[in-house]
């Protein structure tokens, strides 16, 4: 179905705007006269059917795409709004004959790049630079001279100097490039600032229509739809950012690693979904934060996420072709998109459409291949930390980065869960997840599946860390240091992977305290078996009387 929102579409220069480039602040929409431009936007049920995406994510993408089209039509841009039922290339192929050459900024997602490749090859689509990024490939390569191992810190310092952000007279503001040590406080209710609830956004006919579409066509997708918390217009994105500047940034750094059952947000800005759609532009975000009069540790901690980690992941994704090209050999690739275990859990299966892309890199340095437990889909596990975070994910399509790393990825890693299946789960469950961002985060940081390509060690922990950085243990049937399975799982993990990890310098101290203990391995076997079977854990089934 094709709908033209302006009828004077002749003599326009056309641009395909993918679902995640929804900004008039970058590319031709920022520099060319709107009356000379036309955009093609594609709403694509075929894409939505590839994986069991969270309802809120589908609503976010559809709502923003529709509003963006209206906003551009309002400016005088001709808009061709297509509802496709197949790969993007099938919707775009042939358009060049009627519209003339169509440009597109280089898609961030490999999945879309692969889809469009035949049109790039035939010249029907012309790729131009994606102006949303803050760094170039040349800068990334220059930050790693002579083929040095990819390291965030190396890249980040290079970019601080190259951009001048948080730099004073050639030196880092505050005297250091890194204030991580000041950013590790736990949160204590009654002692610390009160976290504010995230903003809600006004209803409008476009959003309501998108909501009805989700409930009608995508009712079988998991997750809760909440239109009140859904930003869909440019004004909503601005409102969200102003809320974040006032309510989150001053305390972001100090509590960025804290976890708290009373607020899934704490002082995280929750802008990642809007940033990854380009409703908010990274350059503006960095500029605004650098100008704030707040503690340097907070500013630096936040800017490191955007100018550092986010850009770094994009480059690693590009350089490795989504971890297909690994240093020693090409990785195996799944034949079709995975469902993150949804089909097994629901019993209903997940039948993706035909003509789909492959399912991504199967890299797994630790050889982990266990199925993801149904607890990740909402079945109670009995582990309060896990159950609290998972309930929030299916409620909101989001949780902050420490819960992602130190609860969800940590447990999956300790259980030797397939990194691909966990990645696919994050991809469908999180409203900000796209291949370029979710694969480096989960295959790399979360599970060590990419080995030391760009992370130095697996980020695993026992109960001590969770107990110190959260209040989850207070409401749990397990007791950290006594009955909680996380600590024996941690020791069992180190022991199981000793041949590969013992020589790792950053694990030296841990291995000094590690010993082979059959009891830890027994806990690992039992916990994994029970969780994969969908059983709830109790102290007595984790530690049965001998
Ligand atoms: Fe999680 Fe263990 Fe704490 Fe329970 S006691 S919340 S399972 S770390």
């Amino acid at each position: 179905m094709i709908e033209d929102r302006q009828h004077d579409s002749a003599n326009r220069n056309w641009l395909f705007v993918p679902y995640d480039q929804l900004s008039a602040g970058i590319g031709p929409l920022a520099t060319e006269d709107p009356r000379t431009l036309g955009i093609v936007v594609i709403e694509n049920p075929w894409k939505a059917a590839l994986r069991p995406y969270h309802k809120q994510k589908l609503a976010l993408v559809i709502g923003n795409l529709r509003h963006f089209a209206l906003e551009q039509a309002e400016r005088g841009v001709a808009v061709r709004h297509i509802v496709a039922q197949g790969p993007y290339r099938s919707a775009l192929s042939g358009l060049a004959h009627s519209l003339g050459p169509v440009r597109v900024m280089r898609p961030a997602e490999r999945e879309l790049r692969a889809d469009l490749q035949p049109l790039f090859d035939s010249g029907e689509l012309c790729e131009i630079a994606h102006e949303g990024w803050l760094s170039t490939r040349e800068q990334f390569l220059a930050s790693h001279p002579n083929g040095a191992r990819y390291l965030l810190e190396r890249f980040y310092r290079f970019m601080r100097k190259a951009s001048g952000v948080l730099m004073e007279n050639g030196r880092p503001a505050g005297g250091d490039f890194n204030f991580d040590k000041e950013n590790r406080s736990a949160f204590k209710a009654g002692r610390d600032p009160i976290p504010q609830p995230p903003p809600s956004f006004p209803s409008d006919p476009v959003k309501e229509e998108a909501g009805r579409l989700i409930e009608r066509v995508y009712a079988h997708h998991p997750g809760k739809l909440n239109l009140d918390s859904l930003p869909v217009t440019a004004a909503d994105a601005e409102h969200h950012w102003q809320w974040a500047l006032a309510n989150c940034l001053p305390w972001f750094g100090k509590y960025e690693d804290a976890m708290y059952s009373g607020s899934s947000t704490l002082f995280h800005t929750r802008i990642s979904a809007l940033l990854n759609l380009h409703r908010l532009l990274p350059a503006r975000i960095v500029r605004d934060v650098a100008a704030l009069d707040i503690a340097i540790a907070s500013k630096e901690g936040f800017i490191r996420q955007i100018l550092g980690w986010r850009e770094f992941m994009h480059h690693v994704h590009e350089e490795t072709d989504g971890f297909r090209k690994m240093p020693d050999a090409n990785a195996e690739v799944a034949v079709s998109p995975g469902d993150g275990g949804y089909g097994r859990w629901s019993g209903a299966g997940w039948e993706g459409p035909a003509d789909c892309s492959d399912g991504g890199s199967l890299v797994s340095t630790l050889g982990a291949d266990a199925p993801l437990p149904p607890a990740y889909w909402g079945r109670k596990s009995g582990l309060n930390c896990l159950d609290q975070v998972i309930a929030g994910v299916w409620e909101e399509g989001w949780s902050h980065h420490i819960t992602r790393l130190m609860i969800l990825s940590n447990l999956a890693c300790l259980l030797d869960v397939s990194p691909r299946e966990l990645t696919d789960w994050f991809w469908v469950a999180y409203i900000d997840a796209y291949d370029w961002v979710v694969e480096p985060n989960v295959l790399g940081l979360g599970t060590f599946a990419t080995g030391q390509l760009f992370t130095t060690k697996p980020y695993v922990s026992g109960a001590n860390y969770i107990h110190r950085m959260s209040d989850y243990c207070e409401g749990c049937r397990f007791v950290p240091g006594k009955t909680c399975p996380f600590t024996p799982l941690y020791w069992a993990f180190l022991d199981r992977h000793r041949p590969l990890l013992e020589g790792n310098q950053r694990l030296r101290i841990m291995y000094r305290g590690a010993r082979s203990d059959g009891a830890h391995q027994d806990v690992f076997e039992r916990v994994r078996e029970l969780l994969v079977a969908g059983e709830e854990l109790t102290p007595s089934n984790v530690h049965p009387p001998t």
Side-chain angles (χ1 to χ4, degrees), residues 382-386 463 466-467 472-473 476-480 484-486:
L383 306 167
N384 191 40
C385 48
L386 181 70
I466 301 169
H467 187 37
Y472 295 137
C473 302
C476 188
R477 62 176 58 151
F478 292 97
V479 180
C484 173
F486 267 90

Side-chain angles (χ1 to χ4, degrees), residues 175-251:
D176 209 338
F177 282 104
N178 187 330
F179 290 86
D180 269 0
K181 284 200 191 77
E182 293 178 34
N183 288 346
R184 291 183 186 142
S185 290
F187 175 82
K188 198 163 170 37
R191 178 195 69 185
D192 295 326
I194 300 170
Q196 296 304 306
S200 53
F201 305 95
S203 185
D204 68 65
V206 174
K207 181 153 88 169
E208 281 168 22
E209 192 186 342
R212 284 194 296 274
L213 177 77
I214 301 297
E215 297 295 18
R216 199 176 66 246
V217 178
Y218 302 107
H220 57 301
H221 282 247
K224 184 177 165 190
L225 178 67
N226 179 354
L227 295 181
D228 288 342
S229 66
L230 200 68
V232 286
T233 66
D236 290 346
E238 185 60 28
H239 174 56
H240 186 109
W241 180 231
Q242 294 305 325
W243 169 84
L245 283 170
N247 295 290
C248 305
L249 263 304
W251 301 281

Side-chain angles (χ1 to χ4, degrees), residues 26-47:
I26 48 175
L29 284 168
T31 54
E32 297 175 20
D33 183 344
R35 290 161 304 181
T36 67
L37 275 172
I39 59 170
V40 180
V41 293
I42 300 178
E43 206 169 298
N44 199 338
W46 170 87
K47 165 94 172 168

Side-chain angles (χ1 to χ4, degrees), residues 350-398:
W350 185 264
E351 209 43 54
D355 208 5
C356 60
S357 62
D358 68 49
S361 171
L362 289 168
V363 68
S364 179
T365 292
L366 298 176
D369 59 0
L372 188 71
Y376 284 72
W377 290 97
R379 187 88 51 87
K380 282 272 170 285
S381 72
L383 306 167
N384 191 40
C385 48
L386 181 70
D387 292 341
Q388 291 252 357
V389 176
I390 292 290
V393 170
W394 291 116
E395 179 85 14
E396 302 185 301
W398 183 87

